[in-house]
Amino acid sequence: MSASFRPDIEGLRALAVSGVVAFHFGLSDLPGGFTGVDIFFVISGYLITGQLLREIAEDGRLDLWRFYARRARRLLPASLFVIFATLVAGYFILSPDEQSLYSKGAMYASAYAINFWLIRWSFDYFAADAANNPFIHFWSLSVEEQFYFVWPGLLLLAAWLRPGKRTAILMIGITGAVSFAVGAWLTTVAQPWAFYFSPLRAWEFAAGGLATMAPAKFWRERPQLGAALAWLGLALIAGAYLTFSEQDTPFPGVAAVVPVAGTVLLLLSGSGNVQSGPSAMLALPPLQWVGKLSYSLYLWHWPVIVYATMMVPDLSWPGRLACAALTLALSLFTYNFIENPIRRNGWLMANAARALIPAVMLTGAGVVATYANARLAVDDLDPSQRIIAETAAQPSTARARVGCVLDYETVTPKACEFGAKNAERSIALFGDSHADHWSTPLIEAAKKNDYKVVTWLKAACRASRLTVWSSKLKRDYTECDQWREQSIKEIIALRPSLVVISEISLTSSRKLSPDARQSDSLDQDWQAGLRATLEAFSQAGLKVAFIRDVPFNSMFVDTCVARALWRGQTPSVCDAPRTDAANDAMAAVERDIVRAVPNATYIDMTDQFCDAKTCRVFIDGKLAYRDRHHMATPFAQTLEPPVESALFSTGAVGK
């Protein structure tokens, strides 16, 4: 063991990985355990900056090849082993289409670039469920690797400008300040960029880098101050673990200062070799043992829990403990037979090229193998699997036209016209993606009756006048409010024969984001908001038809059916009891509100999906949903006759 070894840092690693694992394994008492990743970032900044500055001071230069060789020996073998093992296990658990999708994630993870892939994924409202991606946790490793490529150059630039600590402190400080300011701003505007984009996480590494420049002598001479700051640091980390949450805490942003500052204080205290208080606690043997395994534990814990919950959706606590035991066993194997032997291999350590050349070859092999797996998984699909994949991917009529279903950030409405050409009469379709999936049968029905359909659609933006919390943006969805009011004005100005409204049921939105921030008066606010929207059209002399939301499923239907067929089961295993899926109680409230408004009609298509007891997902040979709560377009096409009947045969459409 190196003389410079810091047991408190090993203990900090244990604290970080324990928080992350506990959070991902569903320990609700630690809702902020995800901030353990931020602890890792600060530790990396502290250790790498110190190492590089010492080498610059002693040798006047950096041996970058040797530096990258150490990083390659440390990180690459274990990560590639876990990636390949996860892909092999996925063959028996995932449907072919999932295997293809997640193999692409593995490809980006192998190249340490999955964070960029996830940024694009995060802004796609219709993207596959990120929680099922067994490689998503590699985003933090990608951020770290990108840090390793940029940071040495920054320190060399500082030394070239003016040797000494002051220039380095200034350079790191400016970099950290800019990174923090931009990241804090983007957290409130486009949170996925702030979360995944490595330059906007640089301030956390910079905080660790600045901490390494504090003189250790200062802390050695003031042990009581060091111990007090260490207790404060531990309290800050505990506060983040206990009080932060993914849904309620805009993150990283300003909130990330809490775990980062806590880690910095513990690192500063430990630099003075304080042997009491938190530093002594972090040096305890159990934490040292977990700290040594922290990298392997981080790599294994996520695919284990993801695959377990895929196979057993309602995984019990004994089941989760079994997953923890499996994670530990896999981590011990990886640490003892892959990670540590390769990291300490004398032949590889003797020459940088001996480590880097195999590293480049392994990385290339990983990218090629994962890309090939993505192609092979769907190269010769069973016809039923191909139909499911194509069905789920087919957009609605409105969404197939670029820009007709607006994204989160767009505020200015865009009206899109469909249906009968040169028709004098029009129908307006207004709402969120749950209005959009009715566009396919509505446009066909309108065309048959010589109407055009004009759409005002925006992702996750309900027609009811209700300000909602966006789990994607981690803040109030103010863009929705602005878009809605302008759209209502435009629709009234158009004077359509009918305004068709649909939106996700409030019950379904709660199921979709059970931990989302909600006010005590949300039900009343929604009822008032729905009434206000309906009355705005009614008072303008327009007729309104409100289509009840479709049933909500506990799992991604396309995925569930594809897995069932892959395992030799029938699609009916994915059906749900009506009491769970149909949201009948909320629909009754909704129906009463609509019927109380003059010129408003309530349309209920639930019997197309459900009988008295069961809501089906595979109906007359067609997949009914593309995910958990959006209709699949081929099935939506079959609903044109009942939609036409409900609108044109009952007099709902005005003349």
Side-chain angles (χ1 to χ4, degrees):
M1 186 175 293
S2 169
S4 61
F5 174 75
R6 291 265 302 271
D8 61 311
I9 293 180
E10 198 81 315
L12 262 176
R13 289 194 179 104
L15 193 64
V17 77
S18 298
V20 173
V21 172
F23 171 73
H24 285 151
F25 274 52
L27 184 61
S28 58
D29 290 337
L30 288 179
F34 62 90
T35 59
V37 170
D38 302 87
I39 297 175
F40 278 125
F41 287 165
V42 178
I43 292 173
S44 291
Y46 183 86
L47 294 175
I48 297 303
T49 303
Q51 172 189 322
L52 294 174
L53 287 177
R54 282 192 297 274
E55 185 174 341
I56 291 173
E58 293 171 2
D59 302 337
R61 63 182 185 88
L62 279 179
D63 188 339
L64 292 177
W65 297 118
R66 186 175 65 176
F67 171 75
Y68 291 126
R70 285 197 299 265
R71 295 296 91 206
R73 293 198 315 270
R74 172 77 173 90
L75 301 174
L76 192 61
S79 66
L80 285 177
F81 175 70
V82 172
I83 287 171
F84 287 132
T86 302
L87 286 175
V88 171
Y91 175 82
F92 301 97
I93 298 170
L94 303 170
S95 69
D97 202 48
E98 287 180 292
Q99 293 176 41
S100 176
L101 174 64
Y102 297 135
S103 291
K104 294 175 185 175
M107 179 182 71
Y108 284 99
S110 299
Y112 290 101
I114 194 172
N115 56 321
F116 298 113
W117 189 57
L118 292 172
I119 290 172
R120 185 182 66 180
W121 183 314
S122 298
F123 283 106
D124 183 357
Y125 180 73
F126 295 98
D129 185 15
N132 280 334
N133 184 343
F135 302 102
I136 194 172
H137 64 313
F138 275 84
W139 76 267
S140 63
L141 302 179
S142 298
V143 169
E144 281 212 35
E145 195 68 19
Q146 290 155 26
F147 160 74
Y148 296 144
F149 275 105
V150 173
W151 208 246
L154 184 73
L155 297 181
L156 280 173
L157 176 61
W160 176 77
L161 291 172
R162 186 175 182 179
K165 276 190 176 181
R166 288 185 178 180
T167 308
I169 291 172
L170 183 63
M171 185 73 73
I172 294 173
I174 292 173
T175 301
V178 172
S179 169
F180 174 76
V182 177
W185 170 68
L186 274 177
T187 299
T188 65
V189 178
Q191 188 264 351
W193 275 99
F195 195 91
Y196 291 121
F197 193 41
S198 48
L200 303 183
R201 290 290 193 145
W203 70 272
E204 301 184 47
F205 296 96
L210 291 174
T212 200
M213 299 186 199
K217 179 181 178 182
F218 177 88
W219 301 104
R220 280 196 299 270
E221 293 175 350
R222 296 165 178 82
Q224 292 181 334
L225 175 61
L229 291 179
W231 282 115
L232 176 58
L234 194 62
L236 289 172
I237 291 174
Y241 277 13
L242 295 170
T243 64
F244 286 11
S245 75
E246 270 196 317
Q247 296 296 335
D248 293 336
T249 308
F251 203 85
V254 176
V257 171
V258 176
V260 168
T263 307
V264 167
L265 291 176
L266 284 165
L267 289 170
L268 289 173
S269 174
S271 68
N273 294 319
V274 177
Q275 300 300 319
S276 60
S279 295
M281 291 169 55
L282 292 171
L284 291 173
L287 289 177
Q288 297 297 294
W289 187 71
V290 173
K292 288 183 177 68
L293 292 174
S294 60
Y295 181 51
S296 291
L297 284 168
Y298 185 83
L299 290 174
W300 277 116
H301 82 282
W302 184 245
V304 167
I305 195 64
V306 165
Y307 283 163
T309 51
M310 284 181 181
M311 293 185 289
V312 186
D314 298 320
L315 192 63
S316 63
W317 269 110
R320 292 179 184 273
L321 290 175
C323 288
L326 176 60
T327 299
L328 183 59
L330 291 169
S331 301
L332 282 168
F333 174 84
T334 305
Y335 177 79
N336 287 307
F337 294 100
I338 297 174
E339 178 187 344
N340 213 38
I342 295 177
R343 180 186 179 188
R344 304 295 186 189
N345 183 275
W347 186 84
L348 293 174
M349 294 172 67
N351 186 294
R354 292 182 182 180
L356 286 176
I357 292 174
V360 172
M361 295 174 65
L362 278 174
T363 299
V367 171
V368 171
T370 50
Y371 177 77
N373 194 64
R375 296 296 299 269
L376 290 172
V378 293
D379 186 57
D380 190 23
L381 274 182
D382 177 90
S384 61
Q385 293 284 345
R386 187 174 300 281
I387 290 171
I388 292 169
E390 292 174 352
T391 296
Q394 185 175 338
S396 68
T397 303
R399 193 159 58 90
R401 188 181 296 179
V402 176
C404 288
V405 180
L406 301 184
D407 57 23
Y408 285 87
E409 290 75 23
T410 304
V411 172
T412 303
K414 179 180 180 180
C416 294
E417 290 190 8
F418 301 88
K421 293 182 178 179
N422 303 318
E424 295 181 359
R425 298 172 297 179
S426 64
I427 296 173
L429 177 62
F430 175 46
D432 56 17
S433 58
H434 285 234
D436 162 54
H437 63 197
W438 289 107
S439 68
T440 299
L442 175 62
I443 290 168
E444 286 304 310
K447 188 184 299 183
K448 286 184 178 180
N449 290 273
D450 198 30
Y451 281 80
K452 64 181 177 182
V453 175
V454 187
T455 63
W456 280 264
L457 302 167
K458 181 173 171 64
C461 183
R462 59 176 68 246
S464 300
R465 281 170 157 159
L466 174 69
T467 299
V468 296
W469 172 265
S470 171
S471 58
K472 287 274 189 180
L473 301 175
K474 306 296 182 185
R475 58 177 173 81
D476 284 344
Y477 193 8
T478 55
E479 292 91 341
C480 173
D481 297 338
Q482 298 173 55
W483 171 86
R484 182 194 302 117
E485 293 308 311
Q486 185 60 37
S487 296
I488 290 174
K489 292 179 182 178
E490 292 185 10
I491 293 171
I492 292 174
L494 178 69
R495 307 300 301 174
S497 300
L498 177 70
V499 181
V500 176
I501 294 175
S502 191
E503 63 184 22
I504 187 171
S505 162
L506 191 61
T507 304
S508 293
S509 63
R510 283 171 170 153
K511 293 175 183 176
L512 191 62
S513 302
D515 300 323
R517 180 182 296 174
Q518 297 180 359
S519 66
D520 294 336
S521 61
L522 182 60
D523 282 53
Q524 291 75 21
D525 292 342
W526 163 73
Q527 293 176 34
L530 174 58
R531 190 177 298 109
T533 295
L534 294 171
E535 289 176 346
F537 295 123
S538 178
Q539 291 169 6
L542 300 179
K543 285 194 171 185
V544 184
F546 189 98
I547 303 179
R548 177 180 171 177
D549 191 21
V550 299
F552 184 91
N553 301 277
S554 61
M555 61 194 72
F556 276 61
V557 170
D558 58 322
T559 298
C560 182
V561 172
R563 287 181 195 162
L565 295 175
W566 181 247
R567 299 168 187 170
Q569 300 171 310
T570 63
S572 62
V573 300
C574 304
D575 291 345
R578 179 172 181 137
T579 52
D580 294 340
N583 304 322
D584 286 326
M586 183 64 72
V589 175
E590 189 176 70
R591 182 174 56 247
D592 291 343
I593 293 172
V594 174
R595 289 179 175 175
V597 176
N599 299 325
T601 303
Y602 192 74
I603 298 174
D604 191 342
M605 297 279 182
T606 307
D607 60 355
Q608 301 292 331
F609 301 85
C610 311
D611 56 29
K613 293 184 178 180
T614 305
C615 291
R616 294 161 294 158
V617 299
F618 205 74
I619 303 171
D620 296 332
K622 291 186 180 294
L623 191 70
Y625 304 87
R626 69 181 309 277
D627 48 28
R628 296 168 71 183
H629 51 96
H630 293 104
M631 275 193 293
T633 297
F635 176 74
Q637 290 169 343
T638 69
L639 298 184
E640 185 274 326
V643 167
E644 183 179 10
S645 176
L647 295 180
F648 295 95
S649 300
T650 62
V653 178
K655 299 300 183 182

